[in-house]
């Protein structure tokens, strides 16, 4: 069984490499056929407007919404999971009850790294943020980590959202946590 990485745009190869390091087969998903038999799906960072368009063009939107496997969205992928995107009518899958604001750390801090705490992963973690969204509100999900008072890692049912980029580090713990959702 394999875990898919949505491969329409964004940092696809990095996520696939993380899965493979954890001993999990990774499959790049470009169309409906690729979803068959998957046990989980990662939606990478990139540009959420573009990715949303491509998802719909390939007919993947309804299939992903209707699937029962766990989904992990990072950065733009997290935006796609959110039910509400502040200030825009932009398309999203809306699988998680939360509101995000895109690019909300501003120009000064387009990209940065921060030491954060993820208690569920044993504590300290160095998170990489790139034009990251800010999660403004979480309706029901469990907040697993925060940075400066805002959630940055949230789980709700079968979905996991991170505003940072765990695939750009050597630390496998966030992907390992997701694979725990897949295998659980
Ligand atoms: N700013 C991008 C968006 O909202 C996300 C950036 C990223 O994924 N690194 O789509």
């Amino acid at each position: 069984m394999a875990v898919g990485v949505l491969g329409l745009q964004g940092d696809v190869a990095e996520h696939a490499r993380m899965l493979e390091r954890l001993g999990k087969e990774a499959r790049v998903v470009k169309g409906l056929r690729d979803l068959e038999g998957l046990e989980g799906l990662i939606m990478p960072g990139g540009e959420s407007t573009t990715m949303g368009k491509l998802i719909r063009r390939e007919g993947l939107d309804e299939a992903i919404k209707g699937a029962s496997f766990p989904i992990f969205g990072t950065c733009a992928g997290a935006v796609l999971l959110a039910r509400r995107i502040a200030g825009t009518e932009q398309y999203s899958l809306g699988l998680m009850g939360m509101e995000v604001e895109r690019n909300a750390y501003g120009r000064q801090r387009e990209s940065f790294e921060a030491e954060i705490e993820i208690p569920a992963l044993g504590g300290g973690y160095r998170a990489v943020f790139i034009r990251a969204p800010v999660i403004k509100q979480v309706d029901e999900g469990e907040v697993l980590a925060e940075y400066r008072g805002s959630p940055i890692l949230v789980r709700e049912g079968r979905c996991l959202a991170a505003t940072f980029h765990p695939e750009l580090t050597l630390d496998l713990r966030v992907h390992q946590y997701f694979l725990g959702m897949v295998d659980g």
Side-chain angles (χ1 to χ4, degrees):
M1 292 262 266
V3 167
V5 182
L6 189 64
L8 301 171
Q9 198 238 359
D11 37 4
V12 181
E14 291 84 351
H15 276 294
R17 211 169 298 133
M18 298 298 267
L19 293 171
E20 282 158 5
R21 276 199 200 123
L22 287 162
K24 181 60 78 178
E25 189 186 324
R27 184 196 300 164
V28 175
V29 173
K30 290 185 185 281
L32 276 174
R33 277 186 327 176
D34 304 320
L35 287 180
E36 239 163 75
L38 280 189
E39 52 180 344
L41 179 69
I42 296 179
M43 300 198 297
E47 201 56 49
S48 55
T49 44
T50 308
M51 230 183 289
K53 269 186 211 138
L54 296 174
I55 284 177
R56 280 175 292 164
R57 192 186 72 190
E58 298 303 323
L60 285 164
D61 50 340
E62 293 305 322
I64 292 172
K65 278 196 242 180
S68 55
F69 50 59
I71 302 178
F72 178 24
T74 59
C75 205
V79 172
L80 281 172
L81 282 174
R83 204 159 293 151
R84 303 184 298 281
I85 304 171
T88 96
E89 296 290 300
Q90 183 186 327
Y91 172 81
S92 69
L93 293 165
L95 291 170
M96 294 179 76
M98 60 184 192
E99 177 174 345
V100 303
E101 185 182 343
R102 296 177 62 204
N103 306 318
Y105 289 100
R107 275 171 186 275
Q108 307 303 315
R109 308 203 61 189
E110 280 222 320
S111 303
F112 58 96
E113 295 188 18
E115 283 298 331
I116 59 158
E117 287 285 320
I118 310 180
L121 301 184
Y125 179 92
R126 190 156 186 85
V128 178
F129 296 85
I130 303 171
R131 283 177 292 113
V134 169
I135 297 173
K136 308 293 261 186
Q137 204 185 337
V138 173
D139 303 338
E140 289 143 44
E142 181 189 358
V143 176
L144 297 171
E146 290 183 332
Y147 173 66
R148 299 200 162 176
S150 298
I152 55 170
L153 182 64
V154 178
R155 176 177 181 172
E156 182 185 332
R158 70 178 174 112
C159 293
L160 181 69
T163 63
F164 54 94
H165 288 263
E167 78 285 5
L168 297 183
T169 66
L170 294 171
D171 193 327
L172 293 167
R173 285 178 292 164
V174 178
H175 285 79
Q176 199 166 31
Y177 179 90
F178 177 61
L179 290 185
M181 290 168 60
V182 168
D183 293 330

